[in-house]
Amino acid sequence: MKTIYETFSPEETKRLGRQIGKAAEPGDVYTLIGDLGVGKTVFTKGIAEGLSIEEDICSPTFTIVQIYESGRIPFYHFDVYRISDIAEMDEIGYEDYFYGDGLAMIEWGNLIEEILPVKRRDITIEKDIEKGFDYRRITISEVGI
Ligand code: ADP
Ligand code: MG
């Protein structure tokens, strides 16, 4: 199933993330794709809030994964944009996170397609300038679910 949401402010995008965080169950996996400045971090901060994580979410760009354990369930926040070899994922033991006890969210997950769980949800955030500067289309597709 594919669901399309439209938001018109950062607050609305954050709220959608918050809903996902609130509803998350252990083992949930999301990928997140969208150009620079589209709202991936805004959305991710919402997820963290929904999981009742108190710390500030920062980009995991230089570490591949950032782990937050202060919330209702663990939050594994990946950014695989700069991965050059899939072996880097093995080195960090990604399976413990993808098939674990928390919510895993993988920014640019399409780059590691071959190791993504068959059951997951893919999220794409896009702008459409014709609909306004703050407009975002957020598509959530269920894969294998
Ligand atoms: P990314 O992590 O994808 O690079 P950020 O979340 O860091 O992007 O930044 C998104 C920027 O877009 C923020 O400055 C935010 O205020 C702005 N923005 C405007 N409208 C929206 C919207 N509807 N949803 C999310 N962010 C929006
Ligand atoms: Mg970001």
Side-chain angles (χ1 to χ4, degrees):
M1 198 180 71
K2 184 162 148 179
T3 313
I4 297 173
Y5 300 89
E6 295 182 296
T7 72
F8 298 86
S9 69
E11 292 72 28
E12 261 188 89
T13 296
K14 200 172 183 183
R15 193 181 311 137
L16 183 60
R18 206 182 292 133
Q19 285 166 8
I20 286 171
K22 279 200 170 137
E25 293 172 15
D28 281 358
V29 175
Y30 286 88
T31 65
L32 181 60
I33 295 169
D35 293 338
L36 188 71
V38 84
K40 298 183 297 300
T41 296
V42 168
F43 186 78
T44 305
K45 283 178 190 288
I47 290 181
E49 272 186 28
L51 290 168
S52 305
I53 291 166
E54 313 257 296
E55 309 119 88
D56 200 24
I57 298 299
C58 49
S59 177
T61 299
F62 297 103
T63 53
I64 303 181
V65 63
Q66 200 80 47
I67 300 167
Y68 302 91
E69 295 192 296
S70 66
R72 183 173 59 78
I73 58 173
F75 180 37
Y76 308 121
H77 181 200
F78 288 76
D79 185 339
V80 300
Y81 192 77
R82 283 179 180 77
I83 274 189
S84 50
D85 193 313
I86 213 91
E88 290 178 49
M89 292 297 287
D90 291 324
E91 279 162 29
I92 60 164
Y94 75 92
E95 285 177 311
D96 293 345
Y97 308 120
F98 284 12
Y99 305 97
D101 52 0
L103 165 62
M105 210 206 52
I106 309 139
E107 291 195 32
W108 298 107
N110 57 313
L111 298 175
I112 56 158
E113 184 92 50
E114 57 264 55
I115 60 163
L116 288 179
V118 289
K119 290 186 183 186
R120 60 174 198 268
R121 292 181 183 88
D122 290 338
I123 304 179
T124 306
I125 311 181
E126 296 160 291
K127 291 185 185 180
D128 184 345
I129 289 305
E130 284 180 16
K131 297 197 177 180
F133 193 67
D134 290 345
Y135 172 88
R136 302 290 189 270
R137 187 188 306 108
I138 302 173
T139 307
I140 304 183
S141 305
E142 291 183 341
V143 180
I145 294 173

